[in-house]
Amino acid sequence: MRDVNIDWANLGFSYIRTDLRFRSHWKDGAWDAGQLTEDNVLHIAEGSTALHYGQQCFEGLKAYRAQDGSINLFRPDQNAARMQMSCERLLMPAPSTEMFIEACRQVVKANEHFLPPFGTGGSLYLRPFVIGVGDNIGVRTAPEFIFSVFCTPVGPYFKGGLAPHNFIVSEFDRAAPNGTGAAKVGGNYAASLLPGAQAKEAQAQGRQFADAIYLDPATHTKIEEVGAANLFVITKDGRTFVTPKSPSILPSITKYSLLHIAEHRLGLNVEEGDVYINQLDRYSEAGACGTAAVITPIGGIQHGDHFHVFHSETEAGPVTRRLYDELTGIQFGTVEAPEGWIVKV
């Protein structure tokens, strides 16, 4: 066990090597039992399908230090289910829900000393992934696979806590209409690197932007995703929570958790529907949501020559703040969680 000397108050969202990670191999039709290893380097065949044909998928979830000292995993069964869907889309064997959660438990327990203390706002980010490996050259599913889970302590994805960020609409598409947009596969993220970099380099009327906004690939009239996160908006009357619905959107566990919280905790109407880029004046608040970002309020969106401001460019709106407080309270154990949402490590 290495000594941990981390400035928890200034922890960013970057890789920090931890002590142990879980690794299991699939061969001859079955996963082996898997084990923890100190080795953070993968040794794979040069013909591995993950390298040549993008046959790989991944997940992201967090472990939280609760106020009573216990450790919370937030909805890991939902991450397991999404990984299973991604594996099915890419013709890969998927770990069972039980195997997935147990691997996450083992990794968190083995690296507990890297878990940021309660009250710092930090968490232990877990990255499970499945990749196709083994000797191969043709375009086909791999003969072998690796399932692994590693972790790293993280702070906020965007600096500034619950501070609004501005975004700019990209001319690129995140995914094809009937492609892999709903699967959490690396190719979707590789395709986002260029538009994301362009968004961060862009300036309009003295404003800078945190990331790109992607419109629907079929008509380019509706917002689908915000960089690597899902979108939500609040109607002008403050009564309805709306989030885009499309077969090319990644089904965010954070988004569906917020849908539940908005309806059952805040008493809002909820909708999964279209959010048209030319009708943003229907909404008083907007946010990007995901495991890494949790909630990032959207100050405004640049579309062509027009910049639309929601609640404010400097502070989060009241509904967004209530959603954030409720969600993070559940994750850190200060607010009672819906049944089945928290798994203790």
Side-chain angles (χ1 to χ4, degrees), residues 188-250:
N188 295 341
Y189 295 82
S192 75
L193 294 176
L194 176 60
Q198 290 179 343
K200 293 177 178 68
E201 292 170 358
Q203 288 194 12
Q205 299 172 334
R207 294 184 175 92
Q208 294 183 314
F209 304 97
D211 210 335
I213 293 270
Y214 297 102
L215 303 182
D216 71 291
T219 71
H220 292 169
T221 61
K222 298 173 285 189
I223 295 179
E224 288 216 332
E225 294 210 10
V226 184
N230 278 193
L231 172 88
F232 71 84
V233 289
I234 307 298
T235 54
K236 279 283 192 181
D237 60 9
R239 296 179 179 176
T240 305
F241 176 104
V242 183
T243 186
K245 184 175 179 64
S246 164
S248 55
I249 292 177
L250 182 73

Side-chain angles (χ1 to χ4, degrees), residues 149-198:
V149 182
F150 69 89
C151 68
T152 189
V154 297
Y157 188 76
F158 292 113
K159 291 294 185 182
L162 199 63
H165 287 71
N166 296 326
F167 295 82
I168 185 169
V169 173
S170 175
E171 295 180 354
F172 287 96
D173 293 331
R174 175 184 163 272
N178 295 301
T180 58
K184 198 167 178 65
V185 299
N188 295 341
Y189 295 82
S192 75
L193 294 176
L194 176 60
Q198 290 179 343

Side-chain angles (χ1 to χ4, degrees), residues 105-119:
R105 282 181 187 270
Q106 288 186 30
V107 170
V108 173
K109 290 181 71 173
N111 297 285
E112 181 178 351
H113 49 296
F114 285 95
L115 181 63
F118 176 82

Side-chain angles (χ1 to χ4, degrees), residues 111-129:
N111 297 285
E112 181 178 351
H113 49 296
F114 285 95
L115 181 63
F118 176 82
T120 62
S123 55
L124 194 63
Y125 182 84
L126 279 74
R127 173 54 61 82
F129 62 90

Side-chain angles (χ1 to χ4, degrees), residues 2 4 6 8 17-19 111-116 124 153:
R2 293 186 292 125
V4 177
I6 296 174
W8 301 115
R17 181 177 175 176
T18 51
D19 290 337
N111 297 285
E112 181 178 351
H113 49 296
F114 285 95
L115 181 63
L124 194 63

